Amino acid sequence: MSAVRIQVSACALSATVNHLRYRPNYVVSTSRFNNHFSFRPLRVSMSSVPPSEPLEIAVKASLTTPSKLGDCPFTQRVLLTLEEKHLPYETKLVDLRNKPEWFLEISPEGKVPVINIDGKWVPDSDVITQILEEKYPSPPLVTPPEKATVGSKIFSTFIGFLKSKDPNDGTEQALLDELSIFNDYLKENGPFINGKDISAADLSLGPKLYHLEIVLGHYKKWAVPDSLNFLKSYLKDIFSRESFINTRALPEDVIEGWRPKVEG
């Protein structure tokens, strides 16, 4: 089962990439004959034009609606990168409750996302987005190192609050503290993490905030305080982007996806 989304690139034909930071990239190598897998370096060549064929990417299928994208903020991060870079891609929906053999051959650990780049299946959203940035540098999405961790503690404090059964254990305040820090940062540096232009850090944080808003609203009857007005504007800006609308999971899928953590 697969769904296709193809976009024509609007990439410029040249870009300055002196600010890119390179590190070894790795690709999973599998064998259908001996059922073993290993990781080996993947060589990446820069390109100023999009691929002639859509990039294949295995993603989680919806739990509630046939032929729809499922809930996975890490997959959405990769899809947002593809969208913002105007790269054509084809999603291959995977039922993670009943993983097909073809999927386990390309992802032995059974995790998404996994993308086919130059004939090699590459796992891990961190690795995938770095490769996409290096291979297709225009438009640039690199976040400067000193800003790359802004907002990075929000997701873990959100999970702590979500799973909490004790209203007095401090998990809600821990989340509010992190959201307030991010709000103050945006006040001085926004509207996005890297200023006026969206960057990789936003594409990583945005899907997590989308899950936060839906899940805490449903299970905790909780919402981001109106007093955090710069954060509220940030959410509006991110969630209304065409790239986000094209790649977001259905709210009911986000709710169902988090149910085990809440009820477990």
Side-chain angles (χ1 to χ4, degrees), residues 35-180:
N35 293 322
H36 78 276
F37 67 96
S38 60
F39 290 89
R40 57 189 178 80
L42 173 66
R43 297 185 181 277
V44 177
S45 58
M46 187 186 305
S47 175
S48 59
V49 295
S52 58
E53 297 293 332
L55 295 168
E56 297 176 288
I57 178 169
V59 302
K60 181 180 180 180
S62 169
L63 297 172
T64 67
T65 308
S67 302
K68 289 289 186 178
L69 178 69
D71 66 297
C72 175
F74 306 102
T75 294
Q76 190 182 12
R77 174 192 181 187
V78 174
L79 296 178
L80 282 168
T81 303
L82 293 168
E83 290 268 346
E84 292 289 341
K85 286 186 172 294
H86 313 291
L87 298 172
Y89 64 91
E90 176 184 351
T91 56
K92 294 186 174 297
L93 302 179
V94 180
D95 182 353
L96 296 183
R97 298 166 298 183
N98 184 25
K99 300 168 186 174
E101 181 181 351
W102 68 263
F103 172 64
L104 292 174
E105 289 181 357
I106 65 173
S107 179
E109 294 185 354
K111 296 180 180 180
V112 293
V114 189
I115 192 170
N116 190 329
I117 299 178
D118 295 333
K120 308 297 182 182
W121 287 97
V122 183
D124 191 299
S125 62
D126 283 338
V127 176
I128 295 169
T129 52
Q130 182 193 350
I131 291 175
L132 292 175
E133 185 64 44
E134 294 174 353
K135 188 171 179 62
Y136 305 105
S138 181
L141 293 174
V142 172
T143 306
E146 66 273 16
K147 299 179 180 180
T149 60
V150 171
S152 61
K153 295 181 180 180
I154 292 174
F155 195 56
S156 61
T157 53
F158 147 61
I159 295 175
F161 177 42
L162 175 66
K163 296 171 67 176
S164 171
K165 307 297 183 183
D166 180 359
N168 299 312
D169 64 1
T171 55
E172 179 181 8
Q173 188 58 51
L175 175 60
L176 283 170
D177 289 347
E178 291 302 325
L179 293 177
S180 296

